[in-house]
């Protein structure tokens, strides 16, 4: 089992007006978090909560559980 993003988070944030410069400048997300999102790595629950607030969505809207190939 793996948890993956349903969508490209940075693209979704950009569509809402939050480009990476704004995210860093306003200290909404740290550079390390932005890099993790670029690499499709999971981030902390605190950051997931912040992303959901910025996107006005629920966790299930951006994350899903998938079966891993054996």
């Amino acid at each position: 089992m793996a948890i993956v993003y349903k969508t490209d988070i940075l693209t979704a944030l950009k569509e809402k007006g939050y480009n990476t410069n704004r995210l860093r400048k306003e200290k909404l997300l740290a550079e390390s978090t932005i890099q993790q999102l670029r690499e499709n790595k999971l981030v902390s629950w605190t950051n997931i909560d912040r992303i959901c607030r910025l996107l006005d969505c629920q966790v299930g809207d951006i994350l899903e559980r998938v079966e891993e190939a054996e």
Side-chain angles (χ1 to χ4, degrees), residues 5-14 37-38 40 55:
Y5 295 110
K6 288 183 176 181
T7 185
D8 181 337
I9 301 299
L10 292 176
T11 300
L13 286 166
K14 189 173 183 178
L37 292 170
R38 281 188 184 117
N40 273 334
L55 295 176

Side-chain angles (χ1 to χ4, degrees), residues 3-67:
I3 304 296
V4 297
Y5 295 110
K6 288 183 176 181
T7 185
D8 181 337
I9 301 299
L10 292 176
T11 300
L13 286 166
K14 189 173 183 178
E15 289 171 358
K16 289 278 192 171
Y18 297 102
N19 62 28
T20 55
N21 287 334
R22 181 177 177 192
L23 292 170
R24 283 191 293 271
K25 184 178 178 183
E26 295 180 18
K27 298 182 182 187
L28 299 170
L29 294 175
E31 179 60 38
S32 59
T33 302
I34 293 169
Q35 188 60 38
Q36 286 176 299
L37 292 170
R38 281 188 184 117
E39 296 170 1
N40 273 334
K41 293 181 179 177
L42 292 178
V43 297
S44 72
W45 286 114
T46 300
N47 285 311
I48 294 292
D49 176 59
R50 186 171 292 130
I51 291 165
C52 286
R53 282 189 281 123
L54 294 172
L55 295 176
D56 191 29
C57 69
Q58 295 294 315
V59 175
D61 296 333
I62 61 171
L63 296 176
E64 70 179 329
R65 182 179 104 21
V66 295
E67 294 296 328

